Amino acid sequence: MKKILFICALLSGVLLFGCGSEDSPKGEKNTPGNTATLYFDALYNQKDFDLAMQYATPKMARIMKSYGTASQFARNLINMQYDEVVIEVDMTNMSLREQYGDKANINLIFTGYFNGKKIDDMRSVRMIRKKSNWYIEKINPDPFAR
C-alpha cells in the first residue's frame, strides 16, 4: 500500500513540476529580446517596478526611481499606458551579430487594452551586455510622436 501511495505522489509531483507558466516569455533566456520583453512585462503586466529595475542599467534605474511608480514611469517617459498587454519582439530587423555583440537595438510590438480600447504600439530600446547579462540602457523616443 505504501508503494502505491509513493508512486502516486511521485507521479503527481512530476506532473505538477512539468507544467510551466503560460505567461513567461518563450525563446532563449539570455538574449536582448528576452530581457526587453521581461522588462516591459514587469512594468505593464506584473506592475513590479523593482523587478523592472533589475533589467535596467544603473543609470536607467536611477531615472526610473525618480518617477516613483511603474505607472508614472510608463505614462511619462515611455508615453504608453496599458491595463494588460502582449509584448512581442519584432524579428524583421534582427541580426545574429546582436546575439554575440555587446550592444543591440530591439524593436518591440505592444498589443493591449487601456480603458477598454485596443492599443497597438511599437518601441525601440537600446540594450547593453555586461557580464553576460543584457540590460536596458535607453528607451528610444517614438519617432512619430508629436
Side-chain angles (χ1 to χ4, degrees):
M1 182 66 172
K2 287 184 181 181
K3 286 184 181 181
I4 293 173
L5 187 60
F6 176 75
I7 291 172
C8 288
L10 185 64
L11 286 175
S12 297
V14 169
L15 290 175
L16 284 175
F17 288 116
C19 299
S21 172
E22 294 294 323
D23 296 332
S24 64
K26 296 175 179 35
E28 292 184 42
K29 296 294 182 209
N30 196 17
T31 63
N34 187 59
T35 301
T37 303
L38 290 171
Y39 173 79
F40 284 105
D41 182 63
L43 279 176
Y44 287 111
N45 293 327
Q46 298 177 36
K47 301 196 183 349
D48 189 343
F49 204 44
D50 294 326
L51 178 61
M53 282 194 269
Q54 291 178 6
Y55 300 113
T57 61
K59 180 181 177 183
M60 183 66 163
R62 279 193 304 277
I63 293 169
M64 291 172 67
K65 251 186 215 176
S66 70
Y67 286 93
T69 65
S71 60
Q72 284 284 16
F73 175 72
R75 181 173 53 241
N76 293 307
L77 189 72
I78 302 173
N79 195 23
M80 292 189 315
Q81 295 182 53
Y82 291 102
D83 294 325
E84 67 178 66
V85 66
V86 175
I87 305 156
E88 297 177 46
V89 177
D90 180 20
M91 301 298 281
T92 58
N93 214 9
M94 294 287 286
S95 70
L96 284 176
R97 105 188 114 140
E98 289 178 345
Q99 305 292 327
Y100 301 107
D102 288 334
K103 294 186 181 213
N105 282 319
I106 302 297
N107 296 323
L108 298 162
I109 301 167
F110 297 83
T111 305
Y113 292 91
F114 181 66
N115 291 336
K117 291 183 181 177
K118 184 176 180 185
I119 300 172
D120 293 319
D121 212 333
M122 185 176 213
R123 282 294 181 276
S124 175
V125 293
R126 187 168 59 209
M127 308 286 298
I128 188 165
R129 184 182 357 215
K130 292 182 179 178
K131 297 182 181 177
S132 75
N133 290 323
W134 287 98
Y135 298 97
I136 303 283
E137 183 177 38
K138 180 180 179 188
I139 300 170
N140 297 323
D142 183 6
F144 302 109
R146 300 187 238 165

Short mmCIF file of all heavy atoms in Angstrom, two decimals, residues 38-67:
data_model
loop_
_atom_site.label_atom_id
_atom_site.label_comp_id
_atom_site.label_asym_id
_atom_site.label_seq_id
_atom_site.Cartn_x
_atom_site.Cartn_y
_atom_site.Cartn_z
N LEU A 38 10.97 40.87 -20.76
CA LEU A 38 10.81 40.73 -19.32
C LEU A 38 10.69 42.09 -18.64
O LEU A 38 9.91 42.26 -17.69
CB LEU A 38 11.98 39.94 -18.72
CG LEU A 38 12.03 38.46 -19.07
CD1 LEU A 38 13.36 37.86 -18.61
CD2 LEU A 38 10.87 37.72 -18.43
N TYR A 39 11.46 43.05 -19.12
CA TYR A 39 11.44 44.41 -18.56
C TYR A 39 10.04 45.03 -18.71
O TYR A 39 9.46 45.51 -17.73
CB TYR A 39 12.49 45.25 -19.29
CG TYR A 39 12.49 46.71 -18.94
CD1 TYR A 39 13.08 47.17 -17.77
CD2 TYR A 39 11.91 47.65 -19.79
CE1 TYR A 39 13.10 48.52 -17.46
CE2 TYR A 39 11.93 48.99 -19.49
CZ TYR A 39 12.53 49.42 -18.32
OH TYR A 39 12.54 50.76 -18.01
N PHE A 40 9.51 45.01 -19.92
CA PHE A 40 8.20 45.63 -20.14
C PHE A 40 7.07 44.81 -19.53
O PHE A 40 6.07 45.37 -19.11
CB PHE A 40 7.97 45.87 -21.63
CG PHE A 40 8.76 47.06 -22.15
CD1 PHE A 40 9.89 46.87 -22.92
CD2 PHE A 40 8.36 48.34 -21.83
CE1 PHE A 40 10.61 47.96 -23.37
CE2 PHE A 40 9.09 49.44 -22.28
CZ PHE A 40 10.21 49.26 -23.06
N ASP A 41 7.24 43.49 -19.45
CA ASP A 41 6.25 42.66 -18.79
C ASP A 41 6.19 43.01 -17.30
O ASP A 41 5.11 43.09 -16.72
CB ASP A 41 6.58 41.18 -18.98
CG ASP A 41 5.55 40.28 -18.34
OD1 ASP A 41 4.37 40.32 -18.77
OD2 ASP A 41 5.90 39.54 -17.41
N ALA A 42 7.33 43.24 -16.69
CA ALA A 42 7.36 43.64 -15.28
C ALA A 42 6.68 44.99 -15.08
O ALA A 42 5.97 45.19 -14.10
CB ALA A 42 8.81 43.69 -14.77
N LEU A 43 6.88 45.91 -16.01
CA LEU A 43 6.26 47.23 -15.89
C LEU A 43 4.75 47.20 -16.09
O LEU A 43 4.00 47.76 -15.29
CB LEU A 43 6.86 48.20 -16.93
CG LEU A 43 8.20 48.83 -16.60
CD1 LEU A 43 8.67 49.68 -17.77
CD2 LEU A 43 8.11 49.67 -15.35
N TYR A 44 4.31 46.57 -17.17
CA TYR A 44 2.91 46.68 -17.57
C TYR A 44 2.02 45.57 -17.03
O TYR A 44 0.90 45.84 -16.61
CB TYR A 44 2.79 46.71 -19.09
CG TYR A 44 3.25 48.02 -19.68
CD1 TYR A 44 4.41 48.10 -20.43
CD2 TYR A 44 2.52 49.18 -19.47
CE1 TYR A 44 4.83 49.30 -20.96
CE2 TYR A 44 2.94 50.39 -19.98
CZ TYR A 44 4.09 50.45 -20.73
OH TYR A 44 4.50 51.64 -21.25
N ASN A 45 2.45 44.34 -17.06
CA ASN A 45 1.58 43.23 -16.65
C ASN A 45 1.72 42.91 -15.16
O ASN A 45 0.72 42.73 -14.48
CB ASN A 45 1.86 41.99 -17.49
CG ASN A 45 1.45 42.19 -18.93
OD1 ASN A 45 0.49 42.90 -19.23
ND2 ASN A 45 2.18 41.58 -19.85
N GLN A 46 2.95 42.84 -14.68
CA GLN A 46 3.15 42.49 -13.27
C GLN A 46 3.11 43.72 -12.37
O GLN A 46 2.97 43.60 -11.16
CB GLN A 46 4.49 41.77 -13.09
CG GLN A 46 4.56 40.47 -13.85
CD GLN A 46 5.92 39.82 -13.70
OE1 GLN A 46 6.54 39.89 -12.64
NE2 GLN A 46 6.38 39.18 -14.75
N LYS A 47 3.32 44.90 -12.97
CA LYS A 47 3.35 46.17 -12.23
C LYS A 47 4.34 46.10 -11.05
O LYS A 47 4.09 46.57 -9.95
CB LYS A 47 1.96 46.56 -11.76
CG LYS A 47 1.00 46.70 -12.93
CD LYS A 47 -0.23 47.41 -12.63
CE LYS A 47 -1.22 47.50 -13.76
NZ LYS A 47 -0.89 47.16 -15.07
N ASP A 48 5.48 45.48 -11.34
CA ASP A 48 6.53 45.30 -10.35
C ASP A 48 7.72 46.18 -10.74
O ASP A 48 8.56 45.80 -11.56
CB ASP A 48 6.93 43.83 -10.28
CG ASP A 48 7.87 43.53 -9.13
OD1 ASP A 48 8.48 44.46 -8.57
OD2 ASP A 48 8.00 42.35 -8.79
N PHE A 49 7.76 47.37 -10.16
CA PHE A 49 8.77 48.36 -10.51
C PHE A 49 10.18 47.88 -10.17
O PHE A 49 11.11 48.08 -10.93
CB PHE A 49 8.43 49.65 -9.76
CG PHE A 49 8.98 50.89 -10.38
CD1 PHE A 49 8.92 51.12 -11.74
CD2 PHE A 49 9.53 51.88 -9.59
CE1 PHE A 49 9.40 52.27 -12.30
CE2 PHE A 49 10.02 53.04 -10.13
CZ PHE A 49 9.96 53.25 -11.49
N ASP A 50 10.33 47.22 -9.01
CA ASP A 50 11.65 46.75 -8.58
C ASP A 50 12.18 45.66 -9.51
O ASP A 50 13.37 45.64 -9.83
CB ASP A 50 11.60 46.23 -7.15
CG ASP A 50 11.32 47.36 -6.15
OD1 ASP A 50 11.79 48.49 -6.39
OD2 ASP A 50 10.64 47.10 -5.14
N LEU A 51 11.30 44.79 -9.97
CA LEU A 51 11.70 43.75 -10.91
C LEU A 51 12.15 44.37 -12.23
O LEU A 51 13.16 43.96 -12.80
CB LEU A 51 10.56 42.76 -11.14
CG LEU A 51 10.83 41.63 -12.14
CD1 LEU A 51 11.99 40.76 -11.67
CD2 LEU A 51 9.58 40.80 -12.34
N ALA A 52 11.43 45.36 -12.70
CA ALA A 52 11.81 46.03 -13.95
C ALA A 52 13.18 46.69 -13.82
O ALA A 52 13.98 46.66 -14.75
CB ALA A 52 10.75 47.07 -14.33
N MET A 53 13.46 47.28 -12.66
CA MET A 53 14.76 47.94 -12.46
C MET A 53 15.92 46.96 -12.50
O MET A 53 17.04 47.34 -12.80
CB MET A 53 14.77 48.72 -11.16
CG MET A 53 14.03 50.04 -11.27
SD MET A 53 14.35 51.15 -9.92
CE MET A 53 13.04 50.70 -8.82
N GLN A 54 15.66 45.68 -12.22
CA GLN A 54 16.72 44.67 -12.29
C GLN A 54 17.19 44.46 -13.73
O GLN A 54 18.31 44.01 -13.95
CB GLN A 54 16.23 43.35 -11.73
CG GLN A 54 16.01 43.37 -10.25
CD GLN A 54 15.47 42.04 -9.75
OE1 GLN A 54 15.37 41.06 -10.48
NE2 GLN A 54 15.13 42.00 -8.47
N TYR A 55 16.34 44.78 -14.70
CA TYR A 55 16.69 44.60 -16.11
C TYR A 55 17.24 45.89 -16.72
O TYR A 55 17.48 45.94 -17.93
CB TYR A 55 15.47 44.14 -16.91
CG TYR A 55 14.91 42.83 -16.44
CD1 TYR A 55 13.67 42.75 -15.85
CD2 TYR A 55 15.65 41.66 -16.58
CE1 TYR A 55 13.15 41.53 -15.41
CE2 TYR A 55 15.15 40.45 -16.14
CZ TYR A 55 13.90 40.39 -15.55
OH TYR A 55 13.41 39.19 -15.12
N ALA A 56 17.45 46.92 -15.93
CA ALA A 56 17.93 48.21 -16.42
C ALA A 56 19.35 48.46 -15.93
O ALA A 56 19.78 47.93 -14.90
CB ALA A 56 17.01 49.33 -15.95
N THR A 57 20.08 49.29 -16.67
CA THR A 57 21.41 49.72 -16.22
C THR A 57 21.23 50.60 -14.99
O THR A 57 20.14 51.12 -14.74
CB THR A 57 22.13 50.52 -17.33
OG1 THR A 57 21.37 51.68 -17.64
CG2 THR A 57 22.35 49.68 -18.57
N PRO A 58 22.28 50.79 -14.20
CA PRO A 58 22.15 51.65 -13.02
C PRO A 58 21.66 53.07 -13.34
O PRO A 58 20.85 53.63 -12.62
CB PRO A 58 23.57 51.67 -12.44
CG PRO A 58 24.18 50.38 -12.88
CD PRO A 58 23.59 50.12 -14.25
N LYS A 59 22.13 53.63 -14.45
CA LYS A 59 21.69 54.97 -14.85
C LYS A 59 20.19 54.97 -15.17
O LYS A 59 19.45 55.86 -14.73
CB LYS A 59 22.49 55.44 -16.07
CG LYS A 59 22.09 56.82 -16.54
CD LYS A 59 22.89 57.23 -17.75
CE LYS A 59 22.43 58.60 -18.25
NZ LYS A 59 23.14 58.99 -19.46
N MET A 60 19.74 53.97 -15.91
CA MET A 60 18.33 53.88 -16.25
C MET A 60 17.49 53.62 -15.00
O MET A 60 16.39 54.17 -14.86
CB MET A 60 18.11 52.76 -17.29
CG MET A 60 16.71 52.64 -17.76
SD MET A 60 16.27 54.11 -18.68
CE MET A 60 14.85 53.53 -19.53
N ALA A 61 18.00 52.82 -14.07
CA ALA A 61 17.29 52.55 -12.82
C ALA A 61 17.12 53.83 -12.00
O ALA A 61 16.07 54.04 -11.38
CB ALA A 61 18.01 51.48 -12.02
N ARG A 62 18.13 54.71 -11.99
CA ARG A 62 18.02 55.98 -11.28
C ARG A 62 16.94 56.87 -11.91
O ARG A 62 16.15 57.50 -11.21
CB ARG A 62 19.36 56.72 -11.29
CG ARG A 62 20.33 56.24 -10.25
CD ARG A 62 21.50 57.18 -10.07
NE ARG A 62 22.23 57.46 -11.29
CZ ARG A 62 23.19 56.68 -11.81
NH1 ARG A 62 23.53 55.56 -11.18
NH2 ARG A 62 23.80 57.01 -12.92
N ILE A 63 16.89 56.88 -13.24
CA ILE A 63 15.86 57.64 -13.93
C ILE A 63 14.48 57.08 -13.59
O ILE A 63 13.54 57.83 -13.31
CB ILE A 63 16.10 57.62 -15.46
CG1 ILE A 63 17.37 58.40 -15.80
CG2 ILE A 63 14.90 58.19 -16.21
CD1 ILE A 63 17.84 58.21 -17.23
N MET A 64 14.37 55.76 -13.59
CA MET A 64 13.09 55.12 -13.27
C MET A 64 12.66 55.47 -11.84
O MET A 64 11.50 55.79 -11.60
CB MET A 64 13.21 53.59 -13.42
CG MET A 64 13.36 53.13 -14.85
SD MET A 64 13.72 51.37 -14.97
CE MET A 64 12.17 50.68 -14.38
N LYS A 65 13.60 55.40 -10.89
CA LYS A 65 13.29 55.69 -9.49
C LYS A 65 12.74 57.10 -9.31
O LYS A 65 11.91 57.34 -8.44
CB LYS A 65 14.54 55.52 -8.64
CG LYS A 65 14.52 54.33 -7.75
CD LYS A 65 15.73 54.32 -6.86
CE LYS A 65 16.13 52.88 -6.68
NZ LYS A 65 17.33 52.71 -5.92
N SER A 66 13.23 58.03 -10.13
CA SER A 66 12.79 59.42 -9.98
C SER A 66 11.30 59.59 -10.27
O SER A 66 10.68 60.55 -9.84
CB SER A 66 13.61 60.34 -10.89
OG SER A 66 13.29 60.12 -12.25
N TYR A 67 10.69 58.65 -11.00
CA TYR A 67 9.26 58.72 -11.29
C TYR A 67 8.41 58.09 -10.19
O TYR A 67 7.21 58.32 -10.14
CB TYR A 67 8.95 58.05 -12.63
CG TYR A 67 9.39 58.91 -13.79
CD1 TYR A 67 10.64 58.75 -14.36
CD2 TYR A 67 8.55 59.89 -14.29
CE1 TYR A 67 11.05 59.54 -15.41
CE2 TYR A 67 8.96 60.70 -15.35
CZ TYR A 67 10.21 60.52 -15.90
OH TYR A 67 10.61 61.31 -16.94
#
